Amino acid sequence: MNIALWIVAGLLALLFLFAGANKVLIPYDTLSRAPLSEWVSHVGPGLVKVIGVFEILGALGLILPAVTGIAPVLVPVAALGLATVMAGAALLHVRLRDPKHLTLNLVYLALALFVAIGALATGHPA
């Protein structure tokens, strides 16, 4: 179980680090015209940046506390935070009637919950 948690946490960390960096570093106008980012035009630029920052912090929180041994309780907290972000994304895609992205958001939500619950159940951060 511990190996599965590390693999899923690592993959989620990479995914959210990349996604968050894109939201933070790419200008809003450019991001809103990107092929898979139609949702951006339905929220404000400030919210997009905040989501990006949360995703970066969540990605770091999935890995760094477990690797360093400093505050490892933050791993499930970070996973729950990312699950919350994905729940919000899923609600947005329901509203936009976008089942493809809704499904993807629900998969990421489930994986984040897997890490959170697994880390709490095993007593290991990841």
Side-chain angles (χ1 to χ4, degrees):
M1 178 78 151
N2 201 24
I3 293 172
L5 288 172
W6 271 109
I7 290 170
V8 173
L11 291 174
L12 282 177
L14 288 174
L15 170 90
F16 282 109
L17 189 61
F18 178 75
N22 280 337
K23 290 175 184 78
V24 169
L25 299 174
I26 296 175
Y28 178 81
D29 293 334
T30 305
L31 197 58
S32 65
R33 290 189 308 269
L36 299 175
S37 298
E38 298 87 13
W39 66 271
V40 172
S41 62
H42 296 277
V43 299
L47 182 57
V48 172
K49 299 297 181 199
V50 167
I51 292 168
V53 168
F54 285 161
E55 289 176 342
I56 292 169
L57 291 173
L60 295 174
L62 287 176
I63 302 299
L64 290 180
V67 170
T68 63
I70 300 171
V73 70
L74 292 179
V75 173
V77 171
L80 288 173
L82 290 172
T84 303
V85 170
M86 288 296 94
L91 289 174
L92 176 65
H93 289 292
V94 165
R95 190 178 66 122
L96 297 176
R97 294 183 174 92
D98 183 4
K100 182 175 77 172
H101 287 104
L102 169 63
T103 303
L104 194 58
N105 293 143
L106 292 176
V107 168
Y108 296 150
L109 170 69
L111 291 172
L113 288 176
F114 170 76
V115 171
I117 293 167
L120 290 171
T122 62
H124 295 94

